[in-house]
Amino acid sequence: MRQARQQDGVISGSQAQAFGLTRRQIARLVHSGEWQYPGRGAYLLPGAHPHRSRVRAALLHRPDAVACEITAARLLAFGGLPVARPDEPVHLLLPFESARRQPNGVKLHWDDVPHAHVTDIHGIPTTSAPRTLVDMVLRRDRDDAVALMDAALRGGHLTDLTSARSLAFGRRGAAARSSWWRHADGRAESPLETRLRLLLTDAGVAPEQLQWQVRDDSGRVVARLDLAWPSRQLDVEADGTSVHGGPVALYRDRHRQNLLTTLGWTVLRFTWPDVTQRPGYVTHTVTRALATGSGQP
């Protein structure tokens, strides 16, 4: 059906009947598994968009609702988001006077949102990038919040955080999080890099440079380092499995590390479990490497 394709594979019961299907025929399609029924009078057809279709179904019969929070972040294509779980609810923002009934699979939030804070993504009303970032920051811990700030900056969703910070002013939890904004840095390429940077900064060994370029004797760039202390020729790498987990990446990383070693650099590599489960090991290792670095203090 053309209308369903225009709606990311979603069709309402009334639309299906308008195309000539009876309720019994619709029920058979659902029973056979050919159509999915997420509820709220909506049906998902084969090939439905895995994310937008669920949002459209949740918005059905709610003309005053706006996609928000992580649902909006996914629509806006924010980077650094966790992999969506099958049971992840669709987050919707509604005016205060709207009904408070929570449908299955939907998480409702209430606030008065000015039109300027809403954008259109594939025909879906969605909170703007600054508003989405603030909504998420105010509901997360510092490391997750700063990782989201970093990703929003790196992805070009925001050129700076001024607009987002102004939207946070006066909201619940904003004062306690006011110092977090200064930690943001759009050069971070992953949430793991952000967490590693914050861990080391808290320990008093903040990196001197981020994404530092190393050149060989001919002046050719041979490596770009996640966290670097050029004065000590120390490179600290955040090894996420999505980038460094495959065999090609393994050989590339070994070649790169050997090359850096021949140029006098010390290379330390840390994984997600290291940073989140063994922070003391990470800070101790980096501190010792800095104390014995080959450069001048």
Side-chain angles (χ1 to χ4, degrees):
M1 297 178 184
R2 177 182 294 181
Q3 187 162 4
R5 289 196 297 271
Q6 294 173 343
Q7 298 171 167
D8 294 312
V10 178
I11 194 169
S12 68
S14 59
Q15 287 172 337
Q17 291 180 56
F19 284 116
L21 292 175
T22 65
R23 291 183 178 179
R24 180 170 295 181
Q25 288 173 320
I26 294 172
R28 285 195 194 125
L29 288 167
V30 173
H31 182 72
S32 68
E34 188 172 348
W35 285 16
Q36 296 180 48
Y37 180 61
R40 301 171 296 280
Y43 300 90
L44 306 186
L45 277 58
H49 191 280
H51 181 58
R52 295 200 302 263
S53 63
R54 295 181 61 242
V55 181
R56 290 188 187 277
L59 286 167
L60 197 65
H61 309 309
R62 285 191 175 273
D64 54 348
V66 176
C68 69
E69 235 265 357
I70 195 168
T71 301
R74 296 196 189 283
L75 291 170
L76 290 162
F78 273 23
L81 299 176
V83 176
R85 305 185 316 272
D87 62 344
E88 179 179 284
V90 174
H91 290 256
L92 298 181
L93 185 61
L94 296 103
F96 283 115
E97 64 273 13
S98 297
R100 299 271 166 156
R101 184 177 60 84
Q102 292 268 7
N104 292 333
V106 178
K107 175 66 175 176
L108 298 181
H109 309 266
W110 288 270
D111 194 7
D112 289 325
V113 182
H115 182 72
H117 297 177
V118 179
T119 189
D120 182 286
I121 305 295
H122 299 285
I124 300 173
T126 306
T127 50
S128 65
R131 174 63 192 244
T132 300
L133 179 61
V134 169
D135 287 345
M136 298 184 74
V137 165
L138 294 181
R139 297 187 180 100
R140 280 159 179 78
D141 63 26
R142 187 201 62 169
D143 288 5
D144 281 345
V146 176
L148 288 166
M149 297 176 197
D150 287 357
L153 290 170
R154 179 162 184 83
H157 301 286
L158 298 169
T159 56
D160 61 60
L161 299 176
T162 303
S163 58
R165 292 191 68 173
S166 66
L167 291 180
F169 183 77
R171 291 186 58 180
R172 178 180 298 177
R177 293 163 172 80
S178 61
S179 64
W180 296 359
W181 300 93
R182 62 182 172 84
H183 293 294
D185 194 309
R187 291 174 292 177
E189 294 184 334
S190 70
L192 179 58
E193 277 189 39
T194 299
R195 285 178 172 270
L196 181 54
R197 184 183 82 240
L198 293 174
L199 172 62
L200 296 174
T201 300
D202 290 344
V205 285
E208 295 173 352
Q209 300 289 343
L210 304 181
Q211 307 307 326
W212 179 255
Q213 292 183 341
V214 176
R215 300 176 184 271
D216 61 16
D217 294 338
S218 68
R220 180 174 60 96
V221 175
V222 295
R224 185 162 52 84
L225 315 183
D226 291 346
L227 311 177
W229 289 257
S231 70
R232 296 289 186 170
Q233 287 193 285
L234 175 65
D235 168 31
V236 172
E237 294 293 309
D239 280 0
T241 55
S242 62
V243 176
H244 300 274
V248 174
L250 180 64
Y251 290 123
R252 181 191 65 226
D253 289 343
R254 284 177 175 174
H255 173 75
R256 177 179 177 275
Q257 183 161 336
N258 290 342
L259 181 57
L260 286 168
T261 300
T262 63
L263 293 173
W265 285 79
T266 298
V267 181
L268 300 177
R269 318 190 73 91
F270 298 107
T271 63
W272 187 271
D274 290 332
V275 174
T276 59
Q277 300 173 25
R278 301 197 296 167
Y281 154 72
V282 174
T283 57
H284 176 71
T285 303
V286 172
T287 301
R288 286 196 62 185
L290 287 171
T292 58
S294 60
Q296 297 298 316

Tab-separated table of all heavy atoms in Angstrom, residues 70-118:
chain	number	residue	atom	x	y	z
A	70	ILE	N	15.474	9.731	24.205
A	70	ILE	CA	16.304	8.889	23.347
A	70	ILE	C	15.604	8.572	22.031
A	70	ILE	O	16.265	8.357	21.005
A	70	ILE	CB	16.722	7.589	24.081
A	70	ILE	CG1	17.870	6.911	23.309
A	70	ILE	CG2	15.522	6.654	24.257
A	70	ILE	CD1	18.539	5.798	24.073
A	71	THR	N	14.272	8.573	22.021
A	71	THR	CA	13.548	8.376	20.759
A	71	THR	C	13.869	9.500	19.790
A	71	THR	O	14.146	9.264	18.604
A	71	THR	CB	12.032	8.324	21.019
A	71	THR	OG1	11.747	7.249	21.924
A	71	THR	CG2	11.256	8.112	19.728
A	72	ALA	N	13.854	10.727	20.278
A	72	ALA	CA	14.220	11.871	19.438
A	72	ALA	C	15.678	11.796	19.031
A	72	ALA	O	16.033	12.107	17.887
A	72	ALA	CB	13.936	13.173	20.184
A	73	ALA	N	16.547	11.390	19.952
A	73	ALA	CA	17.979	11.299	19.639
A	73	ALA	C	18.220	10.314	18.507
A	73	ALA	O	19.070	10.547	17.638
A	73	ALA	CB	18.753	10.889	20.887
A	74	ARG	N	17.495	9.213	18.488
A	74	ARG	CA	17.657	8.246	17.403
A	74	ARG	C	17.128	8.823	16.096
A	74	ARG	O	17.733	8.625	15.025
A	74	ARG	CB	16.938	6.936	17.751
A	74	ARG	CG	17.520	6.215	18.958
A	74	ARG	CD	17.052	4.768	19.035
A	74	ARG	NE	17.435	4.145	20.298
A	74	ARG	CZ	18.659	3.705	20.599
A	74	ARG	NH1	19.629	3.843	19.724
A	74	ARG	NH2	18.900	3.146	21.768
A	75	LEU	N	16.002	9.526	16.133
A	75	LEU	CA	15.477	10.151	14.921
A	75	LEU	C	16.436	11.207	14.383
A	75	LEU	O	16.594	11.361	13.165
A	75	LEU	CB	14.107	10.783	15.203
A	75	LEU	CG	12.954	9.811	15.485
A	75	LEU	CD1	11.735	10.567	15.995
A	75	LEU	CD2	12.603	9.029	14.225
A	76	LEU	N	17.075	11.944	15.280
A	76	LEU	CA	18.025	12.984	14.891
A	76	LEU	C	19.383	12.412	14.495
A	76	LEU	O	20.262	13.155	14.058
A	76	LEU	CB	18.215	13.971	16.048
A	76	LEU	CG	17.018	14.874	16.359
A	76	LEU	CD1	17.149	15.469	17.761
A	76	LEU	CD2	16.903	15.993	15.324
A	77	ALA	N	19.548	11.103	14.681
A	77	ALA	CA	20.805	10.405	14.348
A	77	ALA	C	21.967	10.870	15.207
A	77	ALA	O	23.092	11.029	14.732
A	77	ALA	CB	21.137	10.560	12.866
A	78	PHE	N	21.697	11.068	16.506
A	78	PHE	CA	22.782	11.347	17.436
A	78	PHE	C	23.742	10.160	17.450
A	78	PHE	O	23.328	9.006	17.400
A	78	PHE	CB	22.222	11.535	18.855
A	78	PHE	CG	21.789	12.941	19.178
A	78	PHE	CD1	21.448	13.837	18.173
A	78	PHE	CD2	21.708	13.370	20.488
A	78	PHE	CE1	21.049	15.126	18.480
A	78	PHE	CE2	21.305	14.652	20.812
A	78	PHE	CZ	20.974	15.545	19.797
A	79	GLY	N	25.022	10.448	17.590
A	79	GLY	CA	26.000	9.385	17.733
A	79	GLY	C	26.151	8.975	19.190
A	79	GLY	O	25.639	9.626	20.097
A	80	GLY	N	26.851	7.870	19.404
A	80	GLY	CA	27.165	7.433	20.761
A	80	GLY	C	26.013	6.869	21.548
A	80	GLY	O	26.125	6.710	22.769
A	81	LEU	N	24.905	6.532	20.887
A	81	LEU	CA	23.757	5.984	21.617
A	81	LEU	C	23.915	4.475	21.796
A	81	LEU	O	24.524	3.800	20.957
A	81	LEU	CB	22.460	6.265	20.854
A	81	LEU	CG	22.107	7.731	20.623
A	81	LEU	CD1	20.844	7.842	19.774
A	81	LEU	CD2	21.914	8.471	21.947
A	82	PRO	N	23.362	3.933	22.871
A	82	PRO	CA	23.412	2.476	23.034
A	82	PRO	C	22.565	1.792	21.964
A	82	PRO	O	21.644	2.400	21.395
A	82	PRO	CB	22.823	2.256	24.432
A	82	PRO	CG	21.959	3.458	24.672
A	82	PRO	CD	22.645	4.599	23.983
A	83	VAL	N	22.891	0.544	21.685
A	83	VAL	CA	22.100	-0.224	20.727
A	83	VAL	C	20.670	-0.341	21.248
A	83	VAL	O	20.450	-0.628	22.432
A	83	VAL	CB	22.713	-1.616	20.512
A	83	VAL	CG1	21.839	-2.459	19.595
A	83	VAL	CG2	24.121	-1.490	19.940
A	84	ALA	N	19.712	-0.087	20.384
A	84	ALA	CA	18.302	-0.117	20.800
A	84	ALA	C	17.881	-1.535	21.174
A	84	ALA	O	18.128	-2.485	20.433
A	84	ALA	CB	17.416	0.420	19.682
A	85	ARG	N	17.268	-1.671	22.332
A	85	ARG	CA	16.726	-2.960	22.753
A	85	ARG	C	15.335	-3.154	22.146
A	85	ARG	O	14.621	-2.182	21.888
A	85	ARG	CB	16.606	-3.027	24.273
A	85	ARG	CG	17.870	-2.736	25.037
A	85	ARG	CD	17.647	-2.970	26.539
A	85	ARG	NE	16.379	-2.406	26.986
A	85	ARG	CZ	16.212	-1.161	27.402
A	85	ARG	NH1	17.235	-0.319	27.421
A	85	ARG	NH2	15.025	-0.736	27.811
A	86	PRO	N	14.928	-4.399	21.918
A	86	PRO	CA	13.585	-4.631	21.364
A	86	PRO	C	12.484	-4.063	22.243
A	86	PRO	O	11.421	-3.671	21.747
A	86	PRO	CB	13.497	-6.164	21.280
A	86	PRO	CG	14.920	-6.622	21.214
A	86	PRO	CD	15.698	-5.652	22.044
A	87	ASP	N	12.732	-3.999	23.568
A	87	ASP	CA	11.703	-3.514	24.490
A	87	ASP	C	11.887	-2.036	24.849
A	87	ASP	O	11.229	-1.549	25.776
A	87	ASP	CB	11.682	-4.358	25.765
A	87	ASP	CG	13.011	-4.288	26.537
A	87	ASP	OD1	14.026	-3.847	25.946
A	87	ASP	OD2	13.028	-4.673	27.719
A	88	GLU	N	12.760	-1.339	24.142
A	88	GLU	CA	12.965	0.082	24.447
A	88	GLU	C	11.679	0.847	24.167
A	88	GLU	O	11.152	0.805	23.053
A	88	GLU	CB	14.100	0.652	23.603
A	88	GLU	CG	14.366	2.132	23.856
A	88	GLU	CD	15.521	2.661	23.025
A	88	GLU	OE1	16.678	2.359	23.398
A	88	GLU	OE2	15.268	3.341	22.014
A	89	PRO	N	11.150	1.572	25.149
A	89	PRO	CA	9.896	2.287	24.910
A	89	PRO	C	10.090	3.489	24.001
A	89	PRO	O	11.189	4.029	23.872
A	89	PRO	CB	9.479	2.731	26.318
A	89	PRO	CG	10.766	2.835	27.071
A	89	PRO	CD	11.647	1.750	26.525
A	90	VAL	N	9.018	3.890	23.359
A	90	VAL	CA	8.987	5.129	22.593
A	90	VAL	C	8.683	6.264	23.567
A	90	VAL	O	7.704	6.203	24.311
A	90	VAL	CB	7.908	5.074	21.493
A	90	VAL	CG1	7.773	6.428	20.801
A	90	VAL	CG2	8.231	3.984	20.482
A	91	HIS	N	9.534	7.282	23.582
A	91	HIS	CA	9.356	8.407	24.493
A	91	HIS	C	8.604	9.532	23.785
A	91	HIS	O	9.021	9.987	22.722
A	91	HIS	CB	10.709	8.920	24.993
A	91	HIS	CG	11.403	7.984	25.930
A	91	HIS	ND1	11.456	8.206	27.292
A	91	HIS	CD2	12.051	6.818	25.698
A	91	HIS	CE1	12.121	7.215	27.869
A	91	HIS	NE2	12.497	6.366	26.919
A	92	LEU	N	7.501	9.947	24.396
A	92	LEU	CA	6.689	11.023	23.841
A	92	LEU	C	6.529	12.139	24.868
A	92	LEU	O	6.375	11.884	26.058
A	92	LEU	CB	5.304	10.510	23.429
A	92	LEU	CG	5.237	9.434	22.345
A	92	LEU	CD1	3.775	9.083	22.053
A	92	LEU	CD2	5.945	9.871	21.078
A	93	LEU	N	6.541	13.362	24.380
A	93	LEU	CA	6.353	14.548	25.218
A	93	LEU	C	5.004	15.164	24.889
A	93	LEU	O	4.686	15.386	23.715
A	93	LEU	CB	7.473	15.552	24.934
A	93	LEU	CG	7.534	16.821	25.791
A	93	LEU	CD1	7.730	16.475	27.259
A	93	LEU	CD2	8.667	17.718	25.300
A	94	LEU	N	4.209	15.413	25.941
A	94	LEU	CA	2.869	15.962	25.755
A	94	LEU	C	2.667	17.179	26.645
A	94	LEU	O	3.327	17.316	27.682
A	94	LEU	CB	1.800	14.916	26.095
A	94	LEU	CG	1.763	13.678	25.216
A	94	LEU	CD1	2.407	12.521	25.945
A	94	LEU	CD2	0.337	13.337	24.838
A	95	PRO	N	1.734	18.060	26.269
A	95	PRO	CA	1.401	19.198	27.135
A	95	PRO	C	0.854	18.713	28.476
A	95	PRO	O	0.318	17.607	28.592
A	95	PRO	CB	0.335	19.951	26.334
A	95	PRO	CG	0.508	19.494	24.918
A	95	PRO	CD	0.984	18.082	25.004
A	96	PHE	N	0.965	19.562	29.490
A	96	PHE	CA	0.541	19.183	30.843
A	96	PHE	C	-0.915	18.734	30.894
A	96	PHE	O	-1.285	17.855	31.677
A	96	PHE	CB	0.751	20.356	31.804
A	96	PHE	CG	2.177	20.550	32.220
A	96	PHE	CD1	2.861	21.702	31.865
A	96	PHE	CD2	2.849	19.589	32.955
A	96	PHE	CE1	4.178	21.892	32.249
A	96	PHE	CE2	4.171	19.768	33.345
A	96	PHE	CZ	4.837	20.928	32.985
A	97	GLU	N	-1.766	19.347	30.069
A	97	GLU	CA	-3.192	19.054	30.164
A	97	GLU	C	-3.591	17.757	29.470
A	97	GLU	O	-4.762	17.350	29.528
A	97	GLU	CB	-4.019	20.206	29.569
A	97	GLU	CG	-3.815	20.454	28.072
A	97	GLU	CD	-2.665	21.388	27.774
A	97	GLU	OE1	-1.859	21.655	28.704
A	97	GLU	OE2	-2.550	21.838	26.622
A	98	SER	N	-2.651	17.067	28.830
A	98	SER	CA	-2.978	15.834	28.113
A	98	SER	C	-3.256	14.694	29.087
A	98	SER	O	-2.845	14.721	30.252
A	98	SER	CB	-1.829	15.438	27.184
A	98	SER	OG	-1.625	16.407	26.190
A	99	ALA	N	-3.925	13.676	28.567
A	99	ALA	CA	-4.277	12.502	29.381
A	99	ALA	C	-3.015	11.818	29.886
A	99	ALA	O	-1.978	11.808	29.219
A	99	ALA	CB	-5.101	11.531	28.553
A	100	ARG	N	-3.113	11.240	31.085
A	100	ARG	CA	-1.938	10.652	31.736
A	100	ARG	C	-1.862	9.132	31.590
A	100	ARG	O	-1.012	8.495	32.210
A	100	ARG	CB	-1.955	11.008	33.221
A	100	ARG	CG	-1.895	12.520	33.476
A	100	ARG	CD	-0.472	12.991	33.576
A	100	ARG	NE	-0.346	14.435	33.482
A	100	ARG	CZ	0.664	15.123	33.968
A	100	ARG	NH1	1.623	14.497	34.610
A	100	ARG	NH2	0.746	16.422	33.793
A	101	ARG	N	-2.680	8.540	30.785
A	101	ARG	CA	-2.645	7.081	30.624
A	101	ARG	C	-1.398	6.669	29.854
A	101	ARG	O	-1.101	7.197	28.790
A	101	ARG	CB	-3.897	6.604	29.878
A	101	ARG	CG	-4.002	5.088	29.758
A	101	ARG	CD	-5.305	4.694	29.082
A	101	ARG	NE	-5.405	5.252	27.754
A	101	ARG	CZ	-4.876	4.701	26.654
A	101	ARG	NH1	-4.183	3.557	26.752
A	101	ARG	NH2	-5.022	5.260	25.470
A	102	GLN	N	-0.644	5.716	30.427
A	102	GLN	CA	0.600	5.249	29.815
A	102	GLN	C	0.323	3.996	28.979
A	102	GLN	O	0.092	2.923	29.525
A	102	GLN	CB	1.636	4.921	30.896
A	102	GLN	CG	2.157	6.111	31.665
A	102	GLN	CD	3.419	6.703	31.031
A	102	GLN	OE1	3.831	6.306	29.956
A	102	GLN	NE2	4.021	7.659	31.711
A	103	PRO	N	0.357	4.089	27.657
A	103	PRO	CA	0.151	2.889	26.833
A	103	PRO	C	1.340	1.945	26.942
A	103	PRO	O	2.452	2.353	27.294
A	103	PRO	CB	0.035	3.455	25.407
A	103	PRO	CG	-0.077	4.945	25.558
A	103	PRO	CD	0.573	5.286	26.857
A	104	ASN	N	1.127	0.683	26.635
A	104	ASN	CA	2.227	-0.282	26.628
A	104	ASN	C	3.258	0.114	25.570
A	104	ASN	O	2.914	0.502	24.457
A	104	ASN	CB	1.702	-1.684	26.326
A	104	ASN	CG	0.851	-2.238	27.442
A	104	ASN	OD1	1.024	-1.854	28.595
A	104	ASN	ND2	-0.068	-3.135	27.110
A	105	GLY	N	4.524	-0.001	25.943
A	105	GLY	CA	5.595	0.280	25.003
A	105	GLY	C	5.866	1.750	24.780
A	105	GLY	O	6.655	2.109	23.908
A	106	VAL	N	5.232	2.621	25.560
A	106	VAL	CA	5.397	4.067	25.404
A	106	VAL	C	5.691	4.678	26.767
A	106	VAL	O	5.061	4.319	27.769
A	106	VAL	CB	4.141	4.724	24.796
A	106	VAL	CG1	4.319	6.233	24.684
A	106	VAL	CG2	3.845	4.134	23.422
A	107	LYS	N	6.656	5.581	26.816
A	107	LYS	CA	6.964	6.329	28.028
A	107	LYS	C	6.583	7.783	27.786
A	107	LYS	O	7.127	8.445	26.910
A	107	LYS	CB	8.461	6.219	28.346
A	107	LYS	CG	8.907	7.061	29.534
A	107	LYS	CD	8.315	6.580	30.832
A	107	LYS	CE	8.874	7.364	32.008
A	107	LYS	NZ	8.236	6.957	33.285
A	108	LEU	N	5.630	8.263	28.576
A	108	LEU	CA	5.125	9.618	28.392
A	108	LEU	C	5.817	10.591	29.341
A	108	LEU	O	6.121	10.264	30.486
A	108	LEU	CB	3.616	9.663	28.626
A	108	LEU	CG	2.746	8.812	27.689
A	108	LEU	CD1	1.276	8.980	28.031
A	108	LEU	CD2	2.995	9.178	26.229
A	109	HIS	N	6.066	11.795	28.838
A	109	HIS	CA	6.612	12.905	29.615
A	109	HIS	C	5.705	14.112	29.372
A	109	HIS	O	5.086	14.230	28.308
A	109	HIS	CB	8.039	13.238	29.169
A	109	HIS	CG	8.959	12.057	29.123
A	109	HIS	ND1	9.782	11.711	30.171
A	109	HIS	CD2	9.174	11.132	28.147
A	109	HIS	CE1	10.472	10.627	29.842
A	109	HIS	NE2	10.135	10.267	28.618
A	110	TRP	N	5.626	14.999	30.368
A	110	TRP	CA	4.746	16.153	30.233
A	110	TRP	C	5.513	17.449	30.438
A	110	TRP	O	6.288	17.597	31.381
A	110	TRP	CB	3.595	16.063	31.244
A	110	TRP	CG	2.613	15.010	30.883
A	110	TRP	CD1	1.496	15.145	30.108
A	110	TRP	CD2	2.639	13.628	31.288
A	110	TRP	NE1	0.846	13.933	29.982
A	110	TRP	CE2	1.521	12.992	30.695
A	110	TRP	CE3	3.518	12.874	32.068
A	110	TRP	CZ2	1.256	11.646	30.881
A	110	TRP	CZ3	3.261	11.533	32.246
A	110	TRP	CH2	2.136	10.923	31.660
A	111	ASP	N	5.307	18.361	29.519
A	111	ASP	CA	5.901	19.688	29.613
A	111	ASP	C	5.305	20.531	28.494
A	111	ASP	O	4.827	19.997	27.482
A	111	ASP	CB	7.426	19.627	29.470
A	111	ASP	CG	8.113	20.923	29.899
A	111	ASP	OD1	7.418	21.817	30.429
A	111	ASP	OD2	9.333	21.031	29.707
A	112	ASP	N	5.320	21.824	28.657
A	112	ASP	CA	4.889	22.722	27.588
A	112	ASP	C	6.104	23.035	26.724
A	112	ASP	O	7.079	23.634	27.196
A	112	ASP	CB	4.299	24.011	28.170
A	112	ASP	CG	2.947	23.765	28.833
A	112	ASP	OD1	2.195	22.902	28.324
A	112	ASP	OD2	2.654	24.420	29.849
A	113	VAL	N	6.078	22.615	25.476
A	113	VAL	CA	7.214	22.763	24.584
A	113	VAL	C	6.893	23.812	23.521
A	113	VAL	O	5.984	23.624	22.721
A	113	VAL	CB	7.563	21.420	23.903
A	113	VAL	CG1	8.784	21.580	23.001
A	113	VAL	CG2	7.808	20.352	24.945
A	114	PRO	N	7.622	24.922	23.502
A	114	PRO	CA	7.398	25.934	22.462
A	114	PRO	C	7.631	25.366	21.067
A	114	PRO	O	8.420	24.423	20.890
A	114	PRO	CB	8.428	27.022	22.795
A	114	PRO	CG	8.783	26.792	24.230
A	114	PRO	CD	8.667	25.318	24.449
A	115	HIS	N	6.986	25.931	20.099
A	115	HIS	CA	7.127	25.456	18.720
A	115	HIS	C	8.581	25.518	18.262
A	115	HIS	O	9.034	24.685	17.473
A	115	HIS	CB	6.248	26.308	17.791
A	115	HIS	CG	6.298	25.871	16.359
A	115	HIS	ND1	5.707	24.703	15.907
A	115	HIS	CD2	6.920	26.439	15.270
A	115	HIS	CE1	5.937	24.578	14.610
A	115	HIS	NE2	6.667	25.609	14.196
A	116	ALA	N	9.336	26.481	18.771
A	116	ALA	CA	10.740	26.633	18.383
A	116	ALA	C	11.601	25.462	18.845
A	116	ALA	O	12.708	25.283	18.332
A	116	ALA	CB	11.298	27.935	18.948
A	117	HIS	N	11.109	24.677	19.793
A	117	HIS	CA	11.872	23.536	20.309
A	117	HIS	C	11.493	22.232	19.611
A	117	HIS	O	11.897	21.157	20.059
A	117	HIS	CB	11.649	23.373	21.811
A	117	HIS	CG	12.120	24.533	22.619
A	117	HIS	ND1	11.956	24.610	23.985
A	117	HIS	CD2	12.750	25.683	22.255
A	117	HIS	CE1	12.450	25.760	24.421
A	117	HIS	NE2	12.935	26.423	23.381
A	118	VAL	N	10.715	22.330	18.529
A	118	VAL	CA	10.244	21.142	17.814
A	118	VAL	C	10.723	21.215	16.368
A	118	VAL	O	10.698	22.279	15.744
A	118	VAL	CB	8.708	21.039	17.858
A	118	VAL	CG1	8.219	19.811	17.078
A	118	VAL	CG2	8.218	20.977	19.304
